[in-house]
Amino acid sequence: MGIPTGWWAAGLSGCRGLFEVFNRRPASLEGAVCLRVRFVNFDDVRLVVELGDAPDPLPARWAARGNNALRLRMQLADVLDLHVHGHLTGGLCSIEVATTSEGVLTRTWNPTYEARILSHYASLNHMEPFHRHASGTLGREEGGSWDGW
């Protein structure tokens, strides 16, 4: 079974791993939050995304360690177009990702900020399972720093 066309992650390098973790089902961005947006330079943007969706059943290694949720590190490289309005001041953002004929279009937004990023290349660089203490409590980074990349 191949990667489903039209899935938000289908155009990202590394999407097969996410597809496999979710038991060969496309992980949803519904309820996902973008915890961090980092503009490294004009053609490299890095995101930390916490999914609202989780595999069912959970992978055995996750369950053994008490993990029940997943964070993704995404990299948008070779940025073709970038539009940012407002200020991102510590708030969480909603996120949409779509593959277009021009590249990967990523949009993050909250009430005071919006960014539209069209990149030639996008990848899922890292998947980090973690324990979310309660469903619906998205957006709490626990331990570790995401600045090391």
Side-chain angles (χ1 to χ4, degrees), residues 20-23 54-65 67-68 129:
E20 295 295 333
V21 163
F22 274 74
N23 302 309
D56 185 20
L58 293 172
R61 281 175 45 189
W62 287 26
R65 294 181 179 152
N67 294 322
N68 61 4

Side-chain angles (χ1 to χ4, degrees), residues 93-104:
C93 296
S94 297
I95 183 166
E96 292 176 346
V97 179
T99 301
T100 70
S101 60
E102 299 170 309
V104 177

Side-chain angles (χ1 to χ4, degrees), residues 120-132:
H120 179 69
Y121 176 80
S123 63
L124 296 173
N125 290 346
H126 183 71
M127 294 186 287
E128 178 195 18
F130 71 99
H131 178 73
R132 181 178 297 129

Side-chain angles (χ1 to χ4, degrees), residues 71-122:
R71 282 192 196 104
L72 306 172
R73 278 196 228 184
M74 294 174 55
Q75 181 176 10
L76 310 176
D78 194 10
V79 172
L80 303 168
D81 195 25
L82 173 65
H83 294 277
V84 179
H85 301 283
H87 298 283
L88 183 59
T89 55
L92 303 175
C93 296
S94 297
I95 183 166
E96 292 176 346
V97 179
T99 301
T100 70
S101 60
E102 299 170 309
V104 177
L105 179 61
T106 304
R107 180 176 168 247
T108 60
W109 74 94
N110 70 21
T112 63
Y113 159 86
E114 179 178 9
R116 291 177 164 277
I117 307 157
L118 179 63
S119 60
H120 179 69
Y121 176 80

Side-chain angles (χ1 to χ4, degrees), residues 4 6-10 18-19 21-33 49-56 70-72 74 95-97 124 132 138:
W7 177 39
W8 69 268
L18 182 61
F19 188 64
V21 163
F22 274 74
N23 302 309
R24 304 183 68 74
R25 158 179 87 74
S28 173
L29 277 182
E30 185 175 334
V33 293
V49 176
E50 187 172 299
L51 296 180
D53 193 5
D56 185 20
L70 184 66
R71 282 192 196 104
L72 306 172
M74 294 174 55
I95 183 166
E96 292 176 346
V97 179
L124 296 173
R132 181 178 297 129
L138 297 173

